[in-house]
Amino acid sequence: MRQVVSWVAGACVGFARACVVVTVSMLVPAVWAAAVAVAIRWGVGNPWSWVPVLVLGSVGTLALSRPVCRMFRFLVATWTATDIPAGYRRAEPVVRMSTGYWWNGFSYERTRRDALLDQRWRIRWSDPATWRDLRFTGIAPITAGAIAALPPAGVAVAVLGIGQPAPSARLVGVLGLIAAVAGAPYAWRSAEPVAVRFLRASPAMVLADRVAELTAQRADTTVAQAAEIRRIERDLHDGAQARLVGLGLSLATAEKLMGTDPDQAKALMREARAGAATSLTELRELVMGINPPVLNERGLIDAVRALALDSPLEAVVSAEVPLRLDPPIESALYFGIAELVTNAIKHARATRARISLTRDDTDTDTGTDTGIVVDVEDDGRGGADVRVGGGLEGLRRRLAVFDGTLEITSPAGGPTRVRMMVPCASL
């Protein structure tokens, strides 16, 4: 009985999905059918009556092509968990120049609105994905749409045929109902292979996106390095350098007072010794901020445990097995964890945190892709999000250099959970 109920439920769900696929795939043909109907109503004999029809159909196709493809990707991702990247070209930021004009990557415009409009249309016409979407709107109705139309068509035949007095019509209606019931659980599944085959980005588009991504990552890395160098220079200038200059002046003064006022000279030398110790401490802290020695000597896990011990939070660090990564990856993850812990203290007002480091082995077509997963969870007030120019956005960009990702779950009221995932082979 349960199997029958399950099959009936699957048939109903399949029938509904088939109707959705038919509706979406037939939107563009419906526009052309409406345009042809208008032309016939105006008069077939007048050749000029077909001009607005062609214009209407072309504009409607261009306007609906991208929404139709997006709906197909959404349906396939929702029903089958198959993600099909869109591969659309990204628009560059519109920048206002010193002359007052706006630069959109293609031309200069007087207003920001004109620059955005011009940019949008230029990208739309030059993007290969636009022509891919137009091709798909012509292929989908005769492939996925035609197959998905079998259950609704069978139901329509059954409704029209079973009520007829003729036995042959009733037989046709029964056959239509059988075809609809039998094909309902499967007819909609044709949408997935068709969408994967014709909506996925071409190798040229994937390569162009990868080049753009690497260019952005290089720019982010350059900016981050420049900011780090400025920070080091500022810390040296304001801290150790100023103390060392004062140390030199104290020693020079003590040298002059050695013969005339030995007590004052000794006091100055004691101050100089204290200043030297303070300078040494600041230099050590600066070196630890650049590259903690424990990170180089004992690895990421021990460095994170040392960080947790120094933190005012009640932090617990857990790891499956000892991990040893490439130094750049270890450094990025260490400072990422340090930033998340600082945010939990400063912004979330958390009292406890949990840091977990695990391995992630994922089978791919090319073998086993080994990566590291770092989860940082706190009991703060939540509400953390990625803002443009914010610390979490910078952390996401730093991880992207290593093809890493950052996922944040932070509802209002907490808790906040941040997951950093980085693929790497040196585990």
Side-chain angles (χ1 to χ4, degrees), residues 99-158:
T99 57
Y101 285 82
W102 292 83
W103 171 252
N104 59 12
F106 300 95
S107 63
Y108 295 96
E109 302 294 337
R110 291 184 177 273
T111 63
R112 186 174 184 273
R113 176 179 175 277
D114 293 341
L116 291 173
L117 183 63
D118 178 77
Q119 181 191 60
R120 183 169 66 250
W121 282 107
R122 285 178 183 267
I123 293 178
R124 187 73 178 267
W125 287 110
S126 62
D127 191 354
T130 299
W131 310 107
R132 178 202 61 196
D133 291 352
L134 290 173
R135 180 189 64 179
F136 181 78
T137 56
I139 294 175
I142 60 178
T143 54
I147 297 174
L150 293 178
V155 171
V157 171

Side-chain angles (χ1 to χ4, degrees), residues 328-343:
I329 297 178
E330 285 190 335
S331 179
L333 291 175
Y334 174 82
F335 286 108
I337 295 172
E339 182 172 350
L340 294 175
V341 172
T342 302
N343 289 342

Side-chain angles (χ1 to χ4, degrees), residues 28 57-68 124 134:
V28 173
S58 300
V59 172
T61 301
L62 183 62
L64 288 175
S65 60
R66 187 161 292 188
V68 167
R124 187 73 178 267
L134 290 173

Side-chain angles (χ1 to χ4, degrees), residues 305-354:
R305 285 173 177 163
L307 176 67
L309 290 175
D310 294 336
S311 172
L313 289 177
E314 182 183 341
V316 178
V317 180
S318 61
E320 290 181 346
V321 293
L323 304 174
R324 195 65 196 187
L325 313 175
D326 293 333
I329 297 178
E330 285 190 335
S331 179
L333 291 175
Y334 174 82
F335 286 108
I337 295 172
E339 182 172 350
L340 294 175
V341 172
T342 302
N343 289 342
I345 300 171
K346 183 178 179 180
H347 302 293
R349 299 177 183 175
T351 58
R352 293 188 301 273
R354 183 182 61 84

